[in-house]
Amino acid sequence: MRNPAPNTPVSRFSDRGFTLVELMIAMTLGLFLMLTILASLLSATSMNRSNGRTAELQTNGQYALEVLRRDLLHAGFRGLTYVLPGTGTPGVIASECVAGFAANIGMGIWGANDSNPFTGTCIPAARYSKGDILVSRRAALAPTAVLAANQIYLRSSYERALVFKGNAPPAFTEVPVQDFAIETYVYYISPYTTSAAESPKIPALYRVPLNAGPTMATPELVATGIENLQVQYGRLYTNGTTRYFDANNLSTVASTDTTPSEWDEVRSVRLWLLARASAAEVGYKNTSTYQMGDKTITVNDGFRRQLYTTVVMLRNNEI
C-alpha cells in the first residue's frame, strides 16, 4: 500500500479576516468614493436646474418681446385709409378703459409711465404690479367678409374711414371699400400668472383686448415670468433727428384724443422686458442691477433674471 501524502503545511494566517485598521481604511475609501459620486450628481443636478431656469427665461422673454414687436409693427393700420378716420358710432363697450378709448385707432399707440390710469375700468388695481402701460390700436390686417352684430369695425376707403358697430355699415359711395375689425390691446405687468392665490406668485405680461360683445373685460396672458415692462417713444423732429421720451415726458394728451398730437410724431418704440425665473434657486444669489429706460432696478434674491430690449420702427403712425 502507498503511504498517504504527507499533510501540506497550512499557514496560520490563511483564514485571517480584515484587521480593524484595514476595515477602517476600506470604509474611508468607500465613503470618499460615495461622496465624490454624490458631489458629481449634485453638481449635475444643479447645472440641469440652472439650464432649465435659463431656458425658461429665454423662452418667456423672447416670446413676449416678439408679441410686442409684431403688434407695434402694425399699430395705427387703417385699412385702405391714409387720413385720420372719423369717430363714427362704436356704441357702449363693457369695461372700456375710458369712453372712446378702444376705437381711437387714429392714435395708434399710447402709453403711461410706471402707472395704471385704468385702475377703475379695464385694469383693476389688483391685476397691476408695476411698470409701464402700452396701448396698441389698429384695424385688423385682413378685411372681414361677414360682419357680426357685437363687434366694432372700421369701414375704410381711400378717401375716408368711419368706426361703426354691428352688421349694418355706414353707406359709402367711394370704391373700393372694405370693413376691418378693430383690434385694441393694453399691455401691462400682472403680479401673478394664474391667480392671486398662487404661491409663489409668478409675475406675467398680460394684455386686455377689445373682444366681441363688445367688451374689454377679459385679460389675456401673453407670457409668464415677465417682471417689468419699460417703454420709451422715439419722436421724429423736423430736422430728421429722433429723441426718445418716457410717456409722461412726451405729451399729456389723453388716450381718447382724436386730434393730431406729439403721439403722431412717434416713429419708433424702445422696449425693455425683465424676465424672472418662476422659482428661486437654492445656492444662487442675484444682486444684479438692471437699467431699463428711466428705471434702475436692483435685486437681492435667489431668482435668475434676464433683460431683453429692442427698438421697433413704426410703419403706420403718421397722418
Side-chain angles (χ1 to χ4, degrees), residues 109-129:
I109 60 168
W110 188 84
N113 188 61
D114 289 308
S115 63
N116 176 18
F118 310 126
T119 299
T121 52
C122 62
I123 309 177
R127 291 185 192 166
Y128 170 77
S129 172

Side-chain angles (χ1 to χ4, degrees), residues 132 230-234 244-246 268-272 293-294:
D132 291 351
Q230 292 294 317
V231 187
Q232 286 184 341
Y233 304 89
Y244 284 90
F245 297 88
D246 300 313
S268 60
V269 176
R270 183 181 290 167
L271 297 171
W272 290 266
D294 65 329

Side-chain angles (χ1 to χ4, degrees), residues 50 53-54 57 225 227 273-292 297-307:
S50 298
R53 297 282 186 261
T54 302
L57 291 173
E227 190 175 46
L273 286 174
L274 184 60
R276 197 206 78 181
S278 58
E281 190 171 326
V282 177
Y284 173 75
K285 191 72 170 178
N286 188 349
T287 57
S288 301
T289 297
Y290 304 92
Q291 188 65 46
M292 304 177 66
I297 300 171
T298 301
V299 298
N300 185 11
D301 54 30
F303 291 96
R304 290 189 181 272
R305 290 174 174 83
Q306 192 162 338
L307 183 63

Side-chain angles (χ1 to χ4, degrees), residues 21-44:
V21 174
E22 292 172 335
L23 185 60
M24 292 182 65
I25 293 175
M27 291 178 63
T28 301
L29 291 175
L31 181 60
F32 178 77
L33 182 61
M34 290 181 62
L35 289 175
T36 302
I37 295 174
L38 181 61
S40 299
L41 180 61
L42 291 176
S43 177

Side-chain angles (χ1 to χ4, degrees), residues 130-297:
K130 65 183 73 172
D132 291 351
I133 299 289
L134 175 62
V135 176
S136 169
R137 291 176 283 212
R138 61 181 169 88
L141 301 182
T144 301
V146 180
L147 303 178
N150 60 352
Q151 184 73 52
I152 305 296
Y153 296 98
L154 179 75
R155 168 149 281 206
S156 173
S157 68
Y158 294 139
E159 294 87 354
R160 60 173 175 152
L162 277 177
V163 174
F164 69 97
K165 174 188 174 182
N167 49 16
F172 274 27
T173 57
E174 300 89 352
V175 290
V177 62
Q178 293 178 333
D179 300 314
F180 298 83
I182 290 180
E183 298 183 355
T184 297
Y185 298 102
V186 185
Y187 292 89
Y188 66 97
I189 298 297
S190 167
Y192 53 82
T193 294
T194 56
S195 73
E198 68 186 16
S199 182
K201 290 184 178 181
I202 305 172
L205 177 65
Y206 265 81
R207 69 183 184 185
V208 179
L210 172 62
N211 287 325
T215 180
M216 296 188 71
T218 306
E220 295 178 346
L221 173 64
V222 177
T224 185
I226 307 301
E227 190 175 46
N228 208 313
L229 165 66
Q230 292 294 317
V231 187
Q232 286 184 341
Y233 304 89
R235 181 184 175 190
L236 181 65
Y237 285 82
T238 54
N239 61 2
T241 61
T242 299
R243 292 180 58 190
Y244 284 90
F245 297 88
D246 300 313
N248 59 322
N249 293 325
L250 179 66
S251 174
T252 57
V253 173
S255 59
T256 55
D257 199 301
T258 58
T259 58
S261 69
E262 293 176 1
W263 286 100
D264 300 296
E265 299 171 356
V266 174
R267 295 295 181 269
S268 60
V269 176
R270 183 181 290 167
L271 297 171
W272 290 266
L273 286 174
L274 184 60
R276 197 206 78 181
S278 58
E281 190 171 326
V282 177
Y284 173 75
K285 191 72 170 178
N286 188 349
T287 57
S288 301
T289 297
Y290 304 92
Q291 188 65 46
M292 304 177 66
D294 65 329
K295 297 293 291 185
T296 300
I297 300 171

